[in-house]
Amino acid sequence: MQFGAVTDIGMHRKINEDNYYVHENSMFPYVIVADGMGGHQAGEVASMMVVDIICNHLEKNLESELDYVEAGEVVRQAFIAANSIIFTYAKNHYKIMGMGTTTTLSLIYQNKVITAHVGDSRAYMINEEEIKQITKDHSYVQELVSRGEISPEAARNHPKKNYITRAMGAEETVKVDITIKSYNGEKILLCSDGLTNFVYDEEIKEYINTSNTLQEGAEKLVALANERGGRDNITIVVLEKEISDNE
């Protein structure tokens, strides 16, 4: 099993509101990326809280006896719990009221990849031949793309490209998208939009596949995003598990 993880403040932000977590467990490894938002340091608080709450929930409720559908429901309930706690916390602390965070998690469970997400932090599956985006951004421009009103290329430069339509902690309830795919030894990469706003998918695939380690690939991608402006925090986590390791 291999991991790579980097978070970087970027070239223009005063604080890093991103957070991530890598769960190095051979039975069910998972990775999380959260990109916080809100005034002052509220985004940093939200992204830190969501990672802690989800990890605690999974530690208590994720068991090897579950099938992958049940495991997916445990992940979804972890997100629901985190959303509720963050929303209530923000409501009771006026200085951080309105804070929220994107959250994306991918779990390798048995022979499946279970991915949950809210917001526009993405998850990808990468092999030697191709890169596939698992998640679909919860964003204004993604809705325009889905309706055929703008092209994916136009979306990259749209003035409202950072407007997300769903976030953890922003409202009392949240809809969590769950995706379950077969796992065949691919590299699973999660990232905040600080990467994808500046680096193309094919470049992500190339750097991850040609670097000596996943850590090196992640570090090179952060450097590339910063070279192209680095106008946001940048976070990347990558996970790869050998097929023979699967339980």
Side-chain angles (χ1 to χ4, degrees), residues 30-44:
Y30 63 85
V31 287
I32 306 174
V33 165
D35 180 355
M37 65 204 75
H40 306 292
Q41 293 186 353
E44 183 181 21

Side-chain angles (χ1 to χ4, degrees), residues 11-225:
M11 305 301 290
H12 297 278
R13 297 296 178 91
K14 293 182 179 179
I15 61 171
N16 190 348
E17 295 185 307
D18 288 1
N19 269 286
Y20 73 87
Y21 179 73
V22 177
H23 186 66
E24 301 183 49
N25 180 300
S26 61
M27 186 170 293
F28 32 77
Y30 63 85
V31 287
I32 306 174
V33 165
D35 180 355
M37 65 204 75
H40 306 292
Q41 293 186 353
E44 183 181 21
V45 173
S47 64
M48 188 179 302
M49 286 182 67
V50 80
V51 169
D52 288 344
I53 296 164
I54 288 174
C55 290
N56 288 335
H57 186 96
L58 295 183
E59 184 177 349
K60 293 176 182 176
N61 296 283
L62 197 58
E63 300 174 356
S64 58
E65 291 78 12
L66 303 175
D67 63 35
Y68 64 84
V69 174
E70 293 170 328
E73 179 60 20
V74 169
V75 172
R76 191 181 74 85
Q77 289 298 331
F79 273 61
I80 296 298
N83 181 81
S84 178
I85 292 169
I86 294 168
F87 177 80
T88 301
Y89 183 84
K91 187 172 65 174
N92 294 328
H93 296 78
Y94 74 93
K95 288 186 178 181
I96 55 174
M97 191 173 294
M99 74 177 183
T101 182
T102 72
T103 310
T104 301
L105 176 151
S106 283
L107 161 71
I108 299 177
Y109 189 84
Q110 297 169 357
N111 61 344
K112 304 290 183 182
V113 180
I114 300 170
T115 300
H117 88 287
V118 173
D120 63 354
S121 292
R122 295 180 180 177
Y124 293 92
M125 296 179 76
I126 303 169
N127 61 25
E128 292 300 320
E129 289 76 34
E130 60 184 350
I131 177 171
K132 290 184 178 180
Q133 185 175 332
I134 302 173
T135 55
K136 187 175 182 179
D137 295 351
H138 299 139
S139 68
Y140 174 72
V141 293
Q142 180 59 53
E143 291 182 358
L144 296 180
V145 171
S146 296
R147 294 199 296 264
E149 296 182 21
I150 63 172
S151 67
E153 185 58 38
R156 292 181 65 87
N157 302 305
H158 196 281
K160 294 185 177 179
K161 67 180 180 180
N162 294 323
Y163 286 30
I164 64 172
T165 55
R166 214 182 294 181
M168 297 283 284
E171 298 181 358
E172 191 169 3
T173 59
V174 69
K175 181 181 179 182
V176 184
D177 286 1
I178 301 287
T179 305
I180 301 176
K181 294 182 176 293
S182 296
Y183 184 69
N184 297 295
E186 298 91 345
K187 302 171 184 76
I188 308 300
L189 183 145
L190 274 58
C191 62
S192 60
D193 65 344
L195 178 70
T196 51
N197 282 341
F198 299 98
V199 179
Y200 289 93
D201 288 4
E202 283 300 312
E203 293 174 317
I204 295 173
K205 175 177 79 79
E206 179 185 354
Y207 276 70
I208 291 300
N209 282 339
T210 60
S211 297
N212 293 320
T213 65
L214 297 183
Q215 183 66 30
E216 179 184 296
E219 291 172 359
K220 287 181 177 179
L221 286 168
V222 167
L224 181 60

